[in-house]
Amino acid sequence: MRRSSPSPGRPSVRNQEMTFRDVFVFVVGKTPQVVTETIYGLLVKESPVLPDEIYILTTEEGKKEVEEGLIRRGNLQKVFEEYGFPPLPQEKLHIVVISGVDGSPLRDIRTEEDNEAVGNFITDFIRRLAEDPGVRLHCSLAGGRKTMGFYLGAALSLFGRPWDRLYHVLVSPEFESHPDFYFKPKEERVLKLGQRRLHTSEARIFLADLPFLRLREKVSLGEKPFRELVKEGQREVELALFQREVILDLKGLTLTIGGTSLKLTPMELILYRLFLLQKLRCPEPSRAYCEGCTACFLPISRLSSPEAFQEVHQALVSIYGEGSGRVEAFRLRWERQGGVPQEVLRQKISKINRSLREQMGEDASLYLISPVGRYGTKRYGVRVDKGKITCFS
């Protein structure tokens, strides 16, 4: 029998790798049966799973149903006793009423604002539970309104760990939501449904252990509303899947994109580095992601300025050393002109882009030096996200 950490009066079996506290989380509307049906499914497994703690997330209306069906009628205690397990201590059962937009208990879920509040509440609740590495979550999305189940599953995708579990319980149609059917008893009982007599021996309860995407270690998410978490997660996933790491090592004269080494001449590498550095010097540091932002793109006149000349000159010194013939030749050729002429820079940009296209094919677009704006006001930059760029001097 799989068990978690010791709990008074309840047996514990140590997992070979780690001992967890098994915490069950349910979303419930007006059918509290999903709680005991899910617990039944976990108790009759080859290796039973018993809860050390149970959280039931519901509305004010749902709370009345939970208290009546599970507590006053004793069905929660009965499911454990029926299968030979000690009941859950009363203090380990938590009925949590979801807060509305104004912070007051939510009576029901009727409006768009209510749905938004439910999403934020469930997401934050799961995030906080998942902060404890000693807790293993068992979440059931079978109950409540469909949006509640959706939010619970989504929250587990955002914050769930490899050991957390997500379930859906399926019950024979004639027994599903029957007011007197809470789990399949060992001994047959007969229930009435209109003029029909239902034999509990014929009931089928199937507990589906659902796979889900675990994004916790793949994306960086904080304490934000559900809608913002989804947007943030989407950005992170797109960056991870579609944008490759760009690493430029000036002294090593190497450019690596997505693990592939690309060949550029030293001067092309230095010029490309200017665009990467400009990206890293983001003029809008409050933006976590670049997305469509081009605020760092530079007019060709800036690249032809004395300041840009000095930056290129210093890069050449870093590569070849002070007094090198190549460094001196560059200085003598362009210093008196106040920088590299714009036409020469345009030619270099064209060569860099042509080289990247030849080596990367269709995957080159994000890494090309791209223009924005109309003729005469064009600015140049690279579109890859700043978070994907690393430059070594």
Side-chain angles (χ1 to χ4, degrees):
M1 177 174 62
R2 266 193 305 137
R3 291 292 299 134
S4 60
S5 59
S7 181
R10 298 173 70 79
S12 174
V13 173
R14 179 174 293 276
N15 184 288
Q16 290 182 354
E17 296 180 357
M18 183 176 181
T19 300
F20 292 103
R21 283 177 50 242
D22 288 303
V23 174
F24 291 14
V25 181
F26 300 90
V27 286
V28 174
K30 296 187 177 182
T31 53
Q33 292 94 325
V34 296
V35 174
T36 44
E37 288 163 353
T38 302
I39 291 173
Y40 161 84
L42 290 168
L43 294 183
V44 299
K45 287 168 65 74
E46 184 176 345
S47 297
V49 183
L50 277 74
D52 290 290
E53 207 155 4
I54 293 177
Y55 289 92
I56 299 174
L57 309 185
T58 187
T59 60
E60 281 194 317
E61 292 294 322
K63 181 182 179 182
K64 297 175 185 176
E65 300 291 341
V66 169
E67 290 176 337
E68 175 62 28
L70 299 184
I71 299 174
R72 280 192 281 274
R73 294 175 61 184
N75 285 301
L76 182 61
Q77 181 172 331
K78 288 176 184 176
V79 70
F80 292 110
E81 293 176 345
E82 182 82 13
Y83 287 90
F85 297 104
L88 184 78
Q90 187 175 353
E91 68 273 13
K92 296 298 182 180
L93 172 64
H94 311 280
I95 303 172
V96 182
V97 177
I98 296 170
S99 300
V101 177
D102 60 358
S104 61
L106 194 63
R107 184 173 181 81
D108 198 0
I109 305 169
R110 295 292 185 187
T111 67
E112 184 177 344
E113 290 75 17
D114 292 342
N115 273 296
E116 190 102 1
V118 169
N120 294 339
F121 187 95
I122 291 175
T123 303
D124 186 62
F125 192 86
I126 293 299
R127 179 189 59 77
R128 286 186 282 112
L129 286 180
E131 287 175 351
D132 187 344
V135 163
R136 175 167 48 202
L137 297 176
H138 300 266
C139 300
S140 174
L141 48 70
R145 292 191 180 274
K146 289 181 173 62
T147 49
M148 295 173 74
F150 165 78
Y151 285 130
L152 181 59
L156 206 58
S157 273
L158 292 171
F159 297 108
R161 291 76 50 87
W163 51 87
D164 295 324
R165 293 290 177 265
L166 181 65
Y167 306 107
H168 183 55
V169 66
L170 302 171
V171 182
S172 304
E174 61 271 25
F175 290 94
E176 187 177 16
S177 300
H178 189 289
D180 295 322
F181 184 81
Y182 278 77
F183 58 90
K184 185 174 180 176
K186 284 186 174 181
E187 294 186 8
E188 183 177 50
R189 297 171 193 169
V190 179
L191 305 176
K192 289 185 178 181
L193 183 63
Q195 300 300 314
R196 296 178 60 191
R197 292 166 61 85
L198 302 178
H199 296 266
T200 57
S201 61
E202 298 174 357
R204 296 291 179 267
I205 297 178
F206 174 70
L207 187 68
D209 191 339
L210 304 177
F212 61 93
L213 288 173
R214 290 170 170 84
L215 301 176
R216 182 189 183 94
E217 302 301 326
K218 307 297 187 297
V219 298
S220 301
L221 301 172
E223 300 180 27
K224 300 175 182 176
F226 178 78
R227 191 176 296 275
E228 287 300 314
L229 286 171
V230 171
K231 288 173 66 177
E232 186 96 353
Q234 185 66 37
R235 292 191 196 105
E236 292 270 4
V237 168
E238 288 175 356
L239 281 179
L241 292 179
F242 303 116
Q243 297 202 27
R244 305 174 185 180
E245 296 284 345
V246 178
I247 302 173
L248 191 149
D249 183 351
L250 184 61
K251 288 186 177 179
L253 291 177
T254 60
L255 172 65
T256 304
I257 298 180
T260 301
S261 294
L262 304 175
K263 294 180 180 179
L264 294 178
T265 68
M267 186 55 68
E268 290 169 353
L269 200 69
I270 290 170
L271 182 57
Y272 193 68
R273 175 175 173 267
L274 287 182
F275 290 101
L276 297 183
L277 290 176
Q278 184 63 16
K279 198 85 173 180
L280 294 175
R281 296 166 184 156
C282 177
E284 297 189 12
S286 61
R287 293 180 67 110
Y289 304 93
C290 299
E291 295 182 308
C293 178
T294 59
C296 65
F297 281 36
L298 296 173
I300 201 77
S301 58
R302 285 274 301 278
L303 297 167
S304 186
S305 67
E307 292 78 15
F309 169 84
Q310 288 299 328
E311 194 161 0
V312 173
H313 180 268
Q314 190 56 49
L316 285 168
V317 170
S318 296
I319 295 170
Y320 298 112
E322 193 74 56
S324 163
R326 294 193 182 190
V327 175
E328 191 64 14
F330 174 80
R331 186 184 66 79
L332 291 173
R333 186 173 185 183
W334 305 120
E335 187 174 32
R336 289 183 180 179
Q337 298 186 43
V340 180
Q342 295 183 23
E343 187 54 38
V344 173
L345 289 170
R346 289 191 182 94
Q347 292 172 7
K348 290 290 184 184
I349 289 172
S350 294
K351 288 182 179 179
I352 291 170
N353 286 342
R354 183 164 59 249
S355 181
L356 292 178
R357 286 193 184 97
E358 288 173 353
Q359 297 179 72
M360 297 183 68
E362 294 179 355
D363 296 331
S365 60
L366 283 173
Y367 314 96
L368 300 177
I369 301 171
S370 305
V372 294
R374 296 181 178 181
Y375 182 78
T377 61
K378 285 185 178 179
R379 295 178 295 115
Y380 294 82
V382 291
R383 295 188 180 278
V384 64
D385 195 88
K386 59 188 176 184
K388 291 291 185 177
I389 297 171
T390 304
C391 284
F392 296 105
S393 299

